[in-house]
Every structure is written in structure tokens, then in C-alpha cells.
Amino acid sequence: MDFLLLFLKECRFRSFFLEKIDIKSWNEKELTEKIIEMKLPKFRAKQIYEWLHQKSAESFADMTNIGKKLQEQLDEIFVIRNVEIVRKQKSKIDGTAKYLFKLHDGEYIEAVLMQYHHGYSICISTQVGCKMGCTFCATGKGGFFRNLSASEMLAQIQMAQKDESVRVSNIVLMGMGEPLDNYENVLRFLELVSGDNGMNIGMRHISLSTCGIVDKIYDLAERKLQLTLSISLHAPNDEIRGQTMPINKKWNISELLKACRYYTNQTSRRISFEYAMIDGVNDSDEAARELSQRLKGIIAHVNLIPVNPVTETGFQKSSIARQKRFVRILESSGISATVRRTLGADIDASCGQLRGKFDKEECN
Ligand code: SAH
Ligand code: SF4
């Protein structure tokens, strides 16, 4: 009898302390296997999956057609990872909405919802912070805390959609964090978000931006996904890149561009190169000429972004005349280039800035 009591107590203790399974990071096959193991009819898995991915259910109680008993059973084993809006800024100029989300463990991340003529696009975070330490980047300055799960990436989209009553048609993995440093979870997110019974946002509507994690670029190329790869290049040579992007010490520009060539050969997709123009650092005529030489032969587009001055770096935006001249030099060498339109200029819409500001205000 004593043994039985002890056993029951142990079970209660375990279920209290054991972490619940993050259900929204599971694919439909995994969920179906679990439902069969629970001796429930298979169609329940489809219903639950649709509640999670298409109807953005925030709790099992929201799943009105599965019955109370199953709702309770699920609640014992699983958890639905949601995000909470802590702060929102909306641009008066163009309607861009910037969110500061709180995660279940009290960490903060950012996402930006933008309206274009072809629909809504969302820029989401893939990590809390970032390890890569780029000197011009607010996120990089704050250090690294943890990876996001696939469900936390989905939840950013779902929460923004709910809040603004819109449907997102494009996703950019360009918020806080380095997506290829959280590779497994990002791949899982891509599978879930593009799936037929999920949000069904096709790979051609998804962009992934990386500072240049070369081994993962090769792996992505092998997978032949149809997403758009953006490379944060920001410099025409190792000397300049090495000053601002520590990753360049691990893989230099030649190694990075070799991987990019391989990627375009495997996928036939054009690569987008991000280039933050910093006054007096990487914006000379010589830099433009060197850049065009290096990109020759790659199906590429260069996105020039006037650097967003982050406090303490001392970096300033290149002048408009400089930006225009830089574009002209690239184009005259046959490299397509544009200066990116700034959205949400009145709301710190550059990632890492709102979180940084929030931290400072919280600390004061
Ligand atoms: N870690 C990934 C994706 C997140 S950063 C990457 O580095 O690509 C998203 C983009 O914002 C990158 O192109 C990054 O280089 C750029 N960025 C970061 N700080 C910036 C700043 N202060 N001004 C302009 N672009 C910046
Ligand atoms: Fe990380 Fe990208 Fe910022 Fe570099 S630019 S620190 S890789 S988030």
C-alpha cells in the first residue's frame, strides 16, 4: 500500500515537473503517430493540426470540435507556445507595425509587419539575440540568449495576423538572430509554414537572410528549396568585412561567394546581397568597383541599405548622392542594384532597436 502511494506521488511529481511537449513544432505525421498511440481516431490529428496552424488556436479549449475530454488529455501532455504583445509601434507614414513580443520564459523578441502593394510581409526573429557580433547591429551588440523553436517563429506571424486582422503572404527571416545558426528549428519552421494543412505560404514567398554560415549554405543548396537567399555581405573585401563582421574570420568572402555560386547552380535562384552603406567605410567608388568584380557570374541582386545608426558605433549613413553613385557603378558593370525603401522610418523599424530600447527603459 505504502509502495502504491509512493508510486502515485512520484507520478504526480513527474507530471508536474516534466516539461510538456511543444505541440506546434510537430509536423502532422508526428502528431498523427501520437494520436494513434493514444488510441484515438486518426482524423483527430488533422483537426488538431488545423486548429494550431490554420486557425491559430491559443489554447486546447479553443478547439471546439474535439470534445472536452480530449482537450484535457492534450493539455496534460502538450503546451501551445504563444507570444504576447508587450509593445507595438505603428508608423504614421506607411502603416508598418513593429512588435515587441514576450516569450513564455520572459525573453523578448521583435517582428515587423509591412504592407506592400502585393500584400503583407512579416520580418520575424529566429533567435533571442545573436552570437555573430556584427559591430553595426543592435541585436549583435546585445549578445545571445537562446534559439527560438519552430512554434515560436510561427507564433510571431499568427499574433501579428490576429492583431491587425490581416493575412500575411510573404515572410522574411531577417529579424533578430542568425537563422542558419538555428538551422534545425528553421528547417522545421519552413516545413510547417509552407505545408498544405498549415499556413500554406510557399517557399517562393519566403526569404532567409544570413551573415554567411557557409556549411549550411551548401546544405540548403542540396535541399533545393525555392526560397530566396539573402547574404549580408556589406563589404567588397576581407579587410573591410573583417572589421565589422567576425564571421568573416571563419569563412572569408571567397569561400562565401563560392558557396553562393554553388547555391545558384543547384537551385537556379537569384541571390540577394545585402549591403549596408556606411559613410566612409564601405561606400567609395573603389568599393563599388571591387564589389562588381567579385559578384561577376553570380545571378545576383544587390540591396543597398543606408546603415541604421546604432548608438555607440559612430557609423553614419552614406549620403544620398553616394548611394546613387554606388548604384550607378554597379549597374554599369551589369550588376542589378537598388537602394532599399525604408519602411517604418518613424518607429525604429530596424530589428534589435526596439528590444534594446525596452531593456534600457526597463533598467532605468
Ligand atoms: N542574421 C541575419 C539576419 C538578421 S539581420 C543576417 O545577418 O543576415 C537582418 C539584416 O539587417 C542583415 O542584412 C543585417 O546585416 C542588417 N542590419 C543589421 N544591423 C543593421 C544596421 N544598423 N543598419 C542596416 N542594416 C543592418
Ligand atoms: Fe547577428 Fe545578423 Fe546582427 Fe550579424 S547582422 S549580429 S548575424 S543578427
Side-chain angles (χ1 to χ4, degrees):
M1 193 62 187
D2 277 358
F3 175 75
L4 186 66
L5 268 175
L6 205 71
F7 175 71
L8 285 173
K9 242 168 120 184
E10 165 77 1
C11 284
R12 232 191 277 153
F13 176 82
R14 278 170 59 80
S15 67
F16 184 75
F17 283 98
L18 271 182
E19 227 184 295
K20 292 184 182 179
I21 302 166
D22 168 13
I23 191 169
K24 212 160 55 187
S25 289
W26 271 12
N27 62 28
E28 201 173 342
K29 186 168 169 275
E30 290 161 334
L31 186 59
T32 309
E33 280 164 7
K34 183 72 184 173
I35 288 294
I36 292 169
E37 186 195 306
M38 289 165 79
K39 311 224 173 327
L40 292 163
K42 214 172 139 185
F43 74 89
R44 290 291 187 207
K46 187 163 186 282
Q47 279 181 318
I48 297 164
Y49 194 82
E50 283 176 2
W51 273 113
L52 292 168
H53 293 270
Q54 291 181 353
K55 300 181 205 160
S56 306
E58 288 180 40
S59 75
F60 295 108
D62 286 349
M63 303 181 181
T64 46
N65 60 354
I66 65 167
K68 202 162 169 54
K69 187 160 166 256
L70 180 53
Q71 287 175 1
E72 284 167 4
Q73 265 177 299
L74 293 173
D75 207 21
E76 276 190 9
I77 315 170
F78 295 109
V79 62
I80 304 176
R81 289 272 177 251
N82 299 314
V83 296
E84 185 192 323
I85 301 174
V86 179
R87 193 172 281 193
K88 178 184 175 189
Q89 290 179 311
K90 195 156 179 186
S91 166
K92 290 191 178 67
I93 306 170
D94 52 44
T96 297
K98 175 149 182 162
Y99 294 94
L100 182 70
F101 291 129
K102 189 175 179 180
L103 306 175
H104 68 98
D105 58 355
E107 295 290 357
Y108 296 97
I109 51 163
E110 299 177 4
V112 181
L113 181 72
M114 295 153 286
Q115 188 179 8
Y116 289 97
H117 55 272
H118 57 261
Y120 283 86
S121 182
I122 189 162
C123 172
I124 62 165
S125 296
T126 53
Q127 296 182 314
V128 183
C130 183
K131 290 177 208 155
M132 301 300 145
C134 307
T135 55
F136 47 77
C137 172
T139 304
K141 289 207 162 301
F144 175 75
F145 297 88
R146 72 168 173 87
N147 282 328
L148 294 188
S149 62
S151 59
E152 288 170 324
M153 295 175 218
L154 291 169
Q156 296 170 60
I157 306 172
Q158 293 177 324
M159 188 47 92
Q161 287 193 147
K162 244 184 214 176
D163 180 61
E164 284 280 313
S165 303
V166 296
R167 284 215 82 74
V168 161
S169 52
N170 286 273
I171 303 167
V172 285
L173 303 184
M174 230 192 213
M176 299 171 73
E178 169 48 53
L180 298 188
D181 185 44
N182 182 15
Y183 194 49
E184 292 304 317
N185 290 345
V186 164
L187 284 179
R188 186 162 270 265
F189 163 78
L190 293 173
E191 175 198 343
L192 297 174
V193 82
S194 60
D196 292 344
N197 289 335
M199 278 190 221
N200 203 1
I201 300 177
M203 289 287 184
R204 282 179 179 271
H205 298 272
I206 303 176
S207 298
L208 183 153
S209 177
T210 176
C211 64
I213 314 282
V214 165
D215 55 344
K216 299 296 189 302
I217 296 175
Y218 281 110
D219 190 277
L220 259 188
E222 297 302 344
R223 290 172 192 271
K224 296 189 169 51
L225 304 177
Q226 287 301 298
L227 53 78
T228 300
L229 186 64
S230 287
I231 303 286
S232 296
L233 191 60
H234 303 315
N237 59 47
D238 292 323
E239 200 192 331
I240 301 178
R241 198 166 194 258
Q243 285 166 24
T244 51
M245 300 184 73
I247 192 71
N248 204 68
K249 291 185 185 73
K250 186 154 187 190
W251 289 290
N252 63 23
I253 297 187
S254 295
E255 290 165 308
L256 174 57
L257 294 182
K258 196 171 156 203
C260 291
R261 283 197 178 85
Y262 185 76
Y263 185 89
T264 53
N265 287 340
Q266 289 296 104
T267 61
S268 308
R269 300 283 293 162
R270 183 173 86 161
I271 291 191
S272 174
F273 288 94
E274 308 296 310
Y275 197 101
M277 294 193 69
I278 312 174
D279 183 35
V281 175
N282 63 357
D283 62 349
S284 65
D285 288 1
E286 183 50 32
R289 281 192 284 270
E290 208 177 341
L291 182 64
S292 15
Q293 279 309 314
R294 296 208 85 146
L295 296 184
K296 278 240 156 76
I298 307 181
I299 325 164
H301 177 82
V302 178
N303 251 325
L304 297 163
I305 320 132
V307 77
N308 223 303
V310 171
T311 343
E312 295 141 30
T313 60
F315 289 149
Q316 292 302 322
K317 285 183 175 59
S318 307
S319 68
I320 293 182
R322 207 56 332 261
Q323 295 169 25
K324 285 187 176 156
R325 193 161 161 79
F326 208 89
V327 171
R328 234 180 297 133
I329 296 174
L330 289 177
E331 283 182 337
S332 65
S333 321
I335 310 279
S336 97
T338 39
V339 177
R340 193 195 283 161
R341 190 160 66 100
T342 316
L343 288 178
D346 54 334
I347 57 160
D348 298 330
S350 177
C351 270
Q353 297 194 354
L354 186 62
R355 183 179 186 273
K357 216 173 177 182
F358 185 72
D359 282 348
K360 273 187 208 132
E361 285 169 17
E362 290 295 285
C363 292
N364 289 338

